[in-house]
Amino acid sequence: MASSRSNLFDPRSKEPFKLSRSKLDLFQECPRCAYLDMRLGVKRPSGPSFTLNNAVDELFKREFDIHRAAGSPHPLMEHYGIDAVPFDDTKMEEWRDALRRGIGTLHAPTNLFLRGGIDDVWQTPSGELIIVDYKATSKKEGPSSEEDLYDSYKRQMEIYQWLFRANGYKVSPTGYFVYANGRSDAKAFDGKLEFDVVLITYTGNDSWVEPALHRLKEMLMSEDIPPVGVAFGGGPCDYCTYREAAGKKLQEIHKAKKK
């Protein structure tokens, strides 16, 4: 699906280019896919919308907001011995609005305006902020440690930490994933789904973000499409591999028909 022309990067423009957190993550995953998206308007096919995950996110937000208003720790925080409370700030709803606002900053050296929408922020007694993300899944053995996290989840956390630091906040390197795992071992459904909820600690390192912005800007300014190859994530891009294989096969069929 082609994207709106207004969302495409124009090398001649002097206006800041608005860059979502997911686009920077796409670049880290595959520069070629990122170029096709941001320069040529050819997006990757989107997967199904996980509406159940969205429902869990919304319920988590309501639950933590009760304690935000009361200035009290959530029972999950008490269970894991975390000395903090949900951060009560007038900008919370703005920061959560990933589609229209979120938290953002202009990276002056590249003229890229990076922004993202967070799930939650907690605050320690010393005023340090803790970035929190909600996740939901349903597996026989639910996630329990940092090793169970996808690399994209880790980058997501680190981008949020970088954005808050860029906005002048003191941010803890330790973030948390509130992970809900849907249970399938009940005797019957009975119109409800039960979850096991765990807190997974992740110590982020956002030192890669600024160099990535510079590399992204350099790529966007170029007229050369990045080659098919190994992405920054460490493996071949399935989308690029598919496009190349399909393109070659279609060319073979086209040539055969012309003979």
Side-chain angles (χ1 to χ4, degrees):
M1 180 186 296
S3 64
S4 169
R5 298 297 300 181
S6 62
N7 293 332
L8 297 185
F9 179 83
D10 183 355
R12 300 164 298 178
S13 176
K14 302 299 181 182
E15 294 295 317
F17 180 66
K18 293 181 180 180
L19 179 71
S20 67
R21 186 274 312 167
S22 60
K23 298 296 185 186
L24 180 58
D25 189 64
L26 173 63
F27 172 67
Q28 285 296 104
E29 188 179 326
C30 178
R32 186 179 179 90
C33 283
Y35 190 94
L36 289 172
D37 186 320
M38 289 180 265
R39 271 299 301 267
L40 304 181
V42 181
K43 290 185 177 183
R44 280 179 171 181
S46 58
S49 176
F50 296 103
T51 52
L52 183 59
N53 292 22
N54 295 338
V56 172
D57 279 6
E58 185 60 34
L59 291 172
F60 267 143
K61 288 176 182 177
R62 293 178 189 174
E63 191 172 307
F64 278 95
D65 280 350
I66 293 173
H67 294 275
R68 194 182 321 281
S72 60
H74 185 280
L76 191 66
M77 301 159 77
E78 293 181 322
H79 176 76
Y80 283 90
I82 299 170
D83 188 12
V85 295
F87 186 39
D88 189 15
D89 192 280
T90 57
K91 293 184 178 179
M92 275 301 301
E93 287 308 308
E94 177 181 329
W95 292 337
R96 284 171 165 172
D97 189 352
L99 295 179
R100 292 180 292 275
R101 290 176 292 181
I103 181 169
T105 188
L106 176 64
H107 184 243
T110 59
N111 205 28
L112 297 175
F113 187 87
L114 178 63
R115 65 180 180 85
I118 53 94
D119 281 340
D120 209 346
V121 182
W122 300 344
Q123 186 179 39
T124 68
S126 66
E128 193 174 46
L129 300 188
I130 299 171
I131 308 302
V132 180
D133 201 70
Y134 307 144
K135 299 296 181 187
T137 188
S138 182
K139 299 179 178 179
K140 288 185 177 180
E141 292 187 13
S144 60
S145 67
E146 181 179 321
E147 287 69 32
D148 298 324
L149 299 172
Y150 295 115
D151 287 341
S152 60
Y153 289 177
K154 298 175 183 178
R155 290 194 297 267
Q156 180 182 14
M157 175 74 72
E158 290 163 346
I159 292 174
Y160 293 153
Q161 291 175 337
W162 185 88
L163 283 171
F164 272 86
R165 291 187 179 113
N167 276 270
Y169 292 96
K170 183 181 178 182
V171 180
S172 171
T174 301
Y176 295 100
F177 289 91
V178 180
Y179 229 122
N181 185 46
R183 299 177 57 182
S184 59
D185 57 355
K187 293 182 178 180
F189 178 41
D190 290 331
K192 64 180 180 180
L193 183 61
E194 295 183 355
F195 290 85
D196 291 323
V197 181
V198 298
L199 202 62
I200 299 179
T201 304
Y202 176 66
T203 302
N205 180 356
D206 66 8
S207 62
W208 64 270
V209 175
E210 188 162 7
L213 289 172
H214 284 284
R215 292 196 307 270
L216 173 59
K217 180 61 178 291
E218 182 180 359
M219 182 199 74
L220 291 174
M221 292 296 294
S222 174
E223 297 300 322
D224 297 326
I225 301 175
V228 176
V230 176
F232 294 124
C237 173
D238 291 339
Y239 293 90
C240 288
T241 302
Y242 169 78
R243 280 193 297 260
E244 287 294 298
K248 289 179 181 179
K249 182 61 64 175
L250 291 172
Q251 285 182 344
E252 291 175 4
I253 294 173
H254 180 67
K255 289 179 181 179
K257 288 184 175 180
K258 290 184 67 176
K259 292 180 180 180

